[in-house]
Amino acid sequence: MAASIVHVWRLWKWGRILARHGALTGIERDPNTPAPVRRLVRVVRFGVRIPKAPRYADAFQAIGPAAIKLGQTLATRPDLVGEAAAHDLLRLQDQLPAVPYATIHAALTASLGRDPATLFTRIEETPVGAASIAQVHRAVTTDGRQVAVKVLRPGVEEDFARAIDTYEWAAAQLEAMSPEARRLRPRLTIENFRRWTLRELNFRREAASASELAEAMTAEPDFAVPAIDWQRSTAKVLTVEWIDGIKLSDRTALVAAGYDLPHLAQTLVRAFLRQAIAEGFFHADMHQGNLFALAGGNGQGRLAAIDFGIMGRIDRRARVWLAEILYGLITGNYRRVAEIHFEAGYVPSHHNVAEFATALRAVGEPMRGLPVKDMSIGMMLDGLFSITRDFDMVTQPHLLLLQKTMVMVEGVATSLDPEINLWDSAAPFVREWIRTELGPEAAIADRLVADLKTFAGLPELLRRIEARYPAPGGEPPAPPLKEVEVIRIGGGWRYALVAILSAAAATGATLALAPLH
């Protein structure tokens, strides 16, 4: 009961902040919002002056670090918070006031287990970036390398733990109120948020993600991942190679430096497709502040990414489905796209494939006649979300994270080259990957691998058969034991009484039989 009161109090405070920014208006007006929630919203906003245009990102920024991260997660859920809110939440960029350097120096010393001066000849006291979880300082190592040192904000773990407890409680209450809320699975959204946050709060995990992504992206020489300094990194301190480039958010500086912006846009799109479709492991926070242009790339420029706290992972089966869905929408093969949704279990089997194909056509066809610059995967995904309710589609968290990243990548690429179209850029890559993964060569290779695995397992299979059916004269297998029902008699003293009586009975029987021997 006490915990529930604490959760309600926190939600009340956060709700008042959301109301002052107009961020509760959409919830109150949505016909799918459970009636108890609408009543609660009316109470929370009582006496608050509501602005005409909701400012969702500003509201989450005002609540605090955990809310900023939650807002970034909700930006992947237009089906849950609405398209307008999801779009506005994409503005959240984690910028917060810096923690004093004295506090950061103490945190560095405690985490590294030694004076930072033994590892760094210089650390700039003014941070180059201060986010909700950590802040970053430029430094020089004792061996003369330029690095970026990312330090976890003191106390942030406890703040996040308290907030996530309340988010989980609120999501559970919401699911209990409405079947529609259960279909949207808010508890699963919060659970994913909790897991992502735990990863972000552990910088060794982030370092491992960066290292894994660097290995996966060797086939894309124009996309760089900074090297990890493992000797100067811990769970609360991350030291990486310094990226000396221009942020993609600074288009004026990119033009002045002579970068080929269309080439950078194509590089970004291809890098994302390789991560998401070919490798199944992608950077899920590729906004403009996390991407830099570097010299190189045959004079046209290269890209580098930073901040690997939020990563997405998709297994091979889901990637094949995703590639076929994308290619089917690109080519207008709506029937095949519909079939894949049913094969993957995204749409319940009681619905009609042809009807779903028609709904997909209604989403895809309006864009096929548009000029290249006006076509948008973001528009297509918004359209797909609009039909999920009609076909009882259950939320797929990995696809929602991918959807958010696709929209983000498209936005960054379009800011570099307004004429780029993600469809045209994606089609050759997706077509080649489908041919490689699903073509006749791939089918033969998969069959060979399966057969080799079968042959490799034969010796172990024969050993198991021999153990079960030994040669004549060998030791027979032990007979199966009879199942004995265990009856609970009562409390602990009763167990002791039964044990004593059983022992006494066994002793008496032994003494009675002794004269017979």
Side-chain angles (χ1 to χ4, degrees):
M1 181 63 183
S4 296
I5 293 173
V6 171
H7 294 319
V8 169
W9 172 243
R10 288 177 188 158
L11 291 170
W12 172 266
K13 290 192 299 181
W14 298 339
R16 295 289 287 182
I17 295 173
L18 291 170
R20 285 197 292 272
H21 289 82
L24 296 178
T25 305
I27 296 175
E28 186 176 356
R29 294 176 180 174
D30 191 334
N32 294 300
T33 300
V37 175
R38 279 202 296 272
R39 288 194 291 269
L40 181 61
V41 167
R42 293 191 188 103
V43 172
V44 169
R45 68 168 174 79
F46 181 76
V48 173
R49 186 173 183 177
I50 300 174
K52 293 182 179 179
R55 302 189 302 273
Y56 301 99
D58 296 342
F60 280 81
Q61 191 97 27
I63 293 174
I68 291 173
K69 285 298 176 187
L70 177 64
Q72 291 174 341
T73 301
L74 294 177
T76 70
R77 297 299 308 273
D79 58 330
L80 189 60
V81 299
E83 294 176 14
H87 180 75
D88 189 69
L89 289 171
L90 289 173
R91 294 192 294 112
L92 288 170
Q93 298 292 324
D94 269 358
Q95 298 304 315
L96 290 178
V99 175
Y101 181 71
T103 304
I104 292 297
H105 187 274
L108 272 170
T109 304
S111 185
L112 295 171
R114 66 183 82 177
D115 187 342
T118 63
L119 298 172
F120 305 96
T121 57
R122 178 170 59 87
I123 301 177
E124 294 183 3
E125 295 191 6
T126 302
V128 294
S132 57
I133 284 179
Q135 64 187 49
V136 180
H137 293 258
R138 188 171 184 172
V140 179
T141 64
T142 50
D143 55 0
R145 290 177 293 108
Q146 297 275 340
V147 294
V149 182
K150 184 176 181 180
V151 186
L152 192 71
R153 282 176 176 262
V156 73
E157 293 163 299
E158 294 77 13
D159 290 342
F160 270 74
R162 287 192 294 268
I164 291 173
D165 279 347
T166 298
Y167 298 158
E168 290 176 332
W169 183 87
Q173 311 311 309
L174 184 61
E175 282 197 7
M177 292 179 185
S178 143
E180 174 64 12
R182 286 192 291 275
R183 184 187 73 82
L184 296 174
R185 302 164 86 181
R187 292 178 69 187
L188 185 58
T189 298
I190 298 302
E191 173 58 25
N192 282 324
F193 169 68
R194 185 184 68 82
R195 288 192 296 167
W196 295 342
T197 301
L198 289 177
R199 291 175 191 170
E200 283 197 86
L201 292 174
N202 185 340
F203 288 166
R204 285 198 184 278
R205 287 286 300 273
E206 181 174 343
S209 295
S211 178
E212 182 179 350
L213 186 64
E215 290 181 5
M217 294 302 291
T218 53
E220 295 292 336
D222 286 349
F223 187 88
V225 175
I228 304 298
D229 187 335
W230 290 98
Q231 303 308 313
R232 293 172 174 81
S233 297
T234 67
K236 297 184 178 182
V237 175
L238 175 63
T239 304
V240 301
E241 169 192 3
W242 178 261
I243 296 297
D244 195 8
I246 301 174
K247 283 188 178 182
L248 296 195
S249 56
D250 194 348
R251 196 175 194 278
T252 303
L254 293 172
V255 173
Y259 283 107
D260 185 337
L261 301 192
H263 170 75
L264 292 177
Q266 291 288 347
T267 300
L268 174 62
V269 171
R270 185 171 180 85
F272 168 70
L273 291 171
R274 180 168 296 282
Q275 292 173 37
I277 295 179
E279 302 297 336
F281 184 64
F282 62 94
H283 191 309
D285 198 18
M286 287 203 285
H287 59 71
Q288 290 175 319
N290 283 341
L291 295 166
F292 293 79
L294 307 178
N298 296 322
Q300 296 175 301
R302 299 165 60 236
L303 285 182
I306 62 170
D307 194 355
F308 306 93
I310 303 177
M311 305 294 291
R313 195 179 294 277
I314 311 175
D315 63 30
R316 183 179 180 275
R317 190 180 183 190
R319 282 184 281 138
V320 170
W321 284 330
L322 174 64
E324 287 201 86
I325 288 171
L326 282 176
Y327 193 62
L329 290 170
I330 289 169
T331 59
N333 189 352
Y334 302 111
R335 175 74 186 197
R336 179 56 190 148
V337 175
E339 290 171 350
I340 295 166
H341 276 76
F342 279 79
E343 291 170 11
Y346 299 155
V347 179
S349 59
H350 64 267
H351 285 288
N352 184 278
V353 176
E355 285 295 325
F356 188 63
T358 301
L360 289 171
R361 183 179 293 274
V363 172
E365 283 301 305
M367 290 183 290
R368 291 175 63 78
L370 292 177
V372 169
K373 64 180 181 179
D374 294 331
M375 295 174 66
S376 167
I377 281 187
M379 290 169 56
M380 179 273 294
L381 290 168
D382 287 343
L384 286 177
F385 276 122
S386 70
I387 65 175
T388 58
R389 185 176 295 113
D390 295 338
F391 289 89
D392 303 314
M393 292 175 65
V394 178
T395 295
Q396 304 295 326
H398 64 284
L399 293 183
L400 290 168
L401 182 60
L402 182 67
Q403 176 261 343
K404 181 212 76 166
T405 310
M406 290 175 70
V407 172
M408 192 178 293
V409 167
E410 185 180 45
V412 176
T414 303
S415 71
L416 295 171
D417 179 14
E419 299 299 320
I420 194 175
N421 173 249
L422 218 55
W423 291 117
D424 293 342
S425 302
F429 187 95
V430 174
R431 187 189 303 116
E432 176 62 22
W433 191 82
I434 289 176
R435 189 193 70 78
T436 303
E437 293 293 317
L438 303 180
E441 301 95 333
I444 294 171
D446 287 345
R447 180 60 182 270
L448 287 173
V449 170
D451 290 346
L452 286 172
K453 286 182 178 179
T454 301
F455 282 123
L458 282 176
E460 178 61 27
L461 176 62
L462 292 173
R463 280 190 288 270
R464 293 206 308 269
I465 293 173
E466 187 177 34
R468 183 67 179 85
Y469 302 102
E475 183 180 349
L481 297 176
K482 182 181 178 181
E483 291 187 8
V484 179
E485 184 179 3
V486 178
I487 302 175
R488 180 179 176 86
I489 298 175
W493 67 271
R494 294 182 180 177
Y495 284 114
L497 177 61
V498 170
I500 293 170
L501 291 175
S502 299
T507 303
T510 302
L511 294 173
L513 293 173
L516 299 178
H517 291 289

